[in-house]
Amino acid sequence: MDNEPLQPDPAPRVIAVEPIQRVTSARSSHTEDVGRRMRNYAFSMGIRTLCVIGFIVVFPHWAAWLFVPGAVLLPYVAVILANAGPEKTLRQVAPVQPLPLDVQALPPRRDDAA
């Protein structure tokens, strides 16, 4: 019986696979999250700096007071947003639906048959 070649199964077997979750639906890494928050903070502080400079340049005029809320409130808002922590939501991406695999027995290799 050892010398008889193996025959493939007459009926193909189908393997059902669970849905696979895509990597893109994972949360962003800690490094990316911290970098995003630092960029947002720097952007807010840049706007605040422009508000302070705008106030100094336009000061004698009444319009200078329009820059004060940006110069005073932006640091508070920027710190609150920077310390808010990581994003709470997952990226909404549908899981990959794998195709059913049609697995048929292959004839054995010559070195496996012995």
Side-chain angles (χ1 to χ4, degrees), residues 19-26 90-98:
I20 300 170
Q21 199 67 23
R22 288 186 183 171
V23 174
T24 56
S25 64
L90 294 175
R91 300 177 199 153
Q92 299 297 320
V93 177
V96 175
Q97 297 296 331

Side-chain angles (χ1 to χ4, degrees), residues 79-99:
V79 168
I80 295 297
L81 293 177
N83 292 331
E87 61 183 342
K88 303 290 187 218
T89 59
L90 294 175
R91 300 177 199 153
Q92 299 297 320
V93 177
V96 175
Q97 297 296 331
L99 298 173

Side-chain angles (χ1 to χ4, degrees), residues 22-88:
R22 288 186 183 171
V23 174
T24 56
S25 64
R27 289 188 175 139
S28 60
S29 71
H30 178 68
T31 304
E32 289 175 0
D33 183 56
V34 169
R36 178 186 51 82
R37 290 189 280 146
M38 287 175 62
R39 283 188 301 276
N40 289 344
Y41 181 79
F43 181 74
S44 295
M45 289 299 100
I47 293 174
R48 185 221 183 197
T49 302
L50 292 176
C51 288
V52 170
I53 292 171
F55 178 79
I56 292 170
V57 169
V58 185
F59 177 65
H61 194 267
W62 65 269
W65 295 103
L66 298 175
F67 293 104
V68 171
V72 173
L73 297 178
L74 268 176
Y76 174 76
V77 172
V79 168
I80 295 297
L81 293 177
N83 292 331
E87 61 183 342
K88 303 290 187 218

